Amino acid sequence: MNAKTHASPRDAVELVALTKNYGSGKPAVDGINLRIASGSYCCLLGPSGCGKSTTLRMIAGHESVTAGDILLENRNITDLPAAARGTAMMFQSFALFPHLSALDNVAFSLKMKGVDKATRHKQAADLLERVAMGHLSARKPGELSGGQQQRVALARALITQPRVLLLDEPLSALDPFLRIQMRAELRRWQKELGLTFIHVTHSQEEAMALADTMVVMNHGVIEQMGSPHEIYNRPVSEFVARFMGGHNVLTTPVGKISVRTDHMQLAPDVPDLADGAGNQRAVITDIEYQGTYVLVGLQKPGVAISASATAEMSVMVPEATFAARPFQLGEQVQLRWSPQASHALAH
Ligand code: ADP
Ligand code: MG
């Protein structure tokens, strides 16, 4: 049964207090709870070492679980071998066998299972047809474009008829141009196949482009989970706001707030105005032309400006606005924002 035909939506994967401890010290994955809707594109996102790959490998059955449970469509798979779980893995740079044809690459896991040649070639050919690669099935990976290789890798992962496809940084070794093309194609295939994808990435841009649901991790725990829109507009914590980028974190009398860099304005300084709920004084440390906007970096006044210092805050000023009133490096200005543009951070 295809995930699309489920009578009612249900969770493809549920993680219950899932924990991995490699040895002494803090667990790499620390009791996470997560439900991933069937047929959705889920991205696990976070900085290097936060526990993304460990989580994915535990779901795949490539890593033992210290504590907690993994359910796949309500079946407890925590102690099942990888091949019996209903998951499949797609690896970085597709990891195709260079000496095998596309057809034999796709048929490989069936060969390992002892399926006879006619049967496995028929199944592999059907899958290559499904990803629009039927006419190139005799080619070796070196004779295929990056996009075609990705489709072969997809077909190879799908031959075991998984319910969930697991992808660990599948695009990170590609050049930037190909990476953007390939992610669009991944997204199209996920929708076309109606399958649940769980994709690990450290790139917030990639996660936002792909995900129905983003899961932001830090130090083995989930910081925030939600749609890209929810997370970008309502980061719960300073960590999420900074990791997502495009936000300023400001300390005000009512606590820490975040404001999107494109929701702030620059105004000439007003010497007697005290810092308040919608304005703070700042000094310009960087001005970068970016085409549609100018990215202005700022610091609180009184901090010595050095070439090595990174800007504490930034504002995206539309190109025409900046051209109408160009600010100068070192100029003291007022940073302005409206109450609706700011929201409180929990920690
Ligand atoms: P990510 O994929 O988010 O970069 P990982 O899940 O690979 O993070 O790693 C999480 C933490 O667990 C890191 O501190 C890492 O050093 C540690 N770790 C990962 N794999 C192993 C392993 N096989 N043995 C010991 N420690 C590991
Ligand atoms: Mg990793």
Side-chain angles (χ1 to χ4, degrees), residues 22 28 47-54 57:
Y22 285 108
S48 179
C50 73
K52 306 178 296 295
S53 293
T54 300
R57 290 204 306 267

Side-chain angles (χ1 to χ4, degrees), residues 123-154:
Q123 285 186 29
D126 286 351
L127 264 175
L128 282 169
E129 207 57 61
R130 193 155 171 205
V131 296
M133 285 290 293
H135 60 304
L136 299 175
S137 64
R139 292 225 188 143
K140 293 191 173 145
E143 300 158 348
L144 298 170
S145 73
Q148 291 165 341
Q149 289 181 36
Q150 176 165 272
R151 282 186 251 161
V152 175
L154 189 60

